[in-house]
Amino acid sequence: MVVAEADVHTHSDPESTWHQRFHSSPMKIEVNDLTIRYGDTTVLSGVNLDIRKNEIFGIIGPANSGKTSLLKALNRMDMFTPGMKVEGDIRIDGYDIRTVKNVYGLRRSIGVVFPLLVGLPLTVFENVALAPKIGRASCRERV
């Protein structure tokens, strides 16, 4: 186990010290009372979420549970979705994203990776080998 020099001098528990450092880091994304609707259909309601700087955060859930809608709201991509209404407070680095004038700058600072809409019915090897096949190179040369 590696213990930081400060931990050795203070004789504190490394886990406790990490916990203190983590919880003292600033909030990167804050979501308060978020509700997302498409027409009369509510897909998310009352979502509260805090993500700290350097925190690794994943969003998982079944199909049609609102994951993509949340990502669209964070990135202000809801403006491209007819009928999508976002209510609540979303702040990134303390700034209300609804007041940000440079939407493209906001989107550059928030990486969003959307999944394939359709899974490929292939083995792991076949999925890895697919790109070289598409690029017209033999699998043996590139994989």
Side-chain angles (χ1 to χ4, degrees), residues 5-137:
E5 186 174 333
D7 295 338
V8 173
H9 292 296
T10 60
H11 302 288
S12 64
D13 175 17
E15 181 70 22
S16 173
T17 302
W18 175 87
H19 193 288
Q20 290 168 350
R21 279 194 310 257
F22 175 76
H23 286 285
S24 66
S25 64
M27 289 297 171
K28 185 70 176 173
I29 300 174
E30 299 169 87
V31 176
N32 295 303
D33 201 26
L34 181 71
T35 298
I36 299 176
R37 293 185 180 88
Y38 293 93
D40 293 332
T41 304
T42 301
V43 294
L44 292 175
S45 179
V47 174
N48 295 297
L49 160 66
D50 291 330
I51 303 172
R52 294 185 181 280
K53 183 178 178 184
N54 298 322
E55 180 176 3
I56 298 171
F57 188 85
I59 301 169
I60 59 172
N64 299 315
S65 62
K67 302 177 300 294
T68 300
S69 296
L70 174 61
L71 294 175
K72 284 181 177 182
L74 290 175
N75 219 2
R76 283 195 47 195
M77 293 174 63
D78 54 301
M79 62 188 357
F80 300 121
T81 307
M84 183 176 177
K85 175 124 172 92
V86 178
E87 299 170 354
D89 185 40
I90 301 173
R91 295 183 176 277
I92 297 178
D93 291 326
Y95 296 100
D96 182 348
I97 65 164
R98 297 288 166 198
T99 64
V100 172
K101 290 184 169 78
N102 183 356
V103 178
Y104 300 107
L106 172 71
R107 291 185 186 134
R108 277 194 301 272
S109 70
I110 303 171
V112 177
V113 179
F114 293 104
L116 288 174
L117 295 176
V118 179
L120 300 174
L122 306 172
T123 66
V124 172
F125 177 81
E126 290 168 335
N127 273 296
V128 171
L130 182 61
K133 283 182 183 178
I134 292 172
R136 303 198 195 298

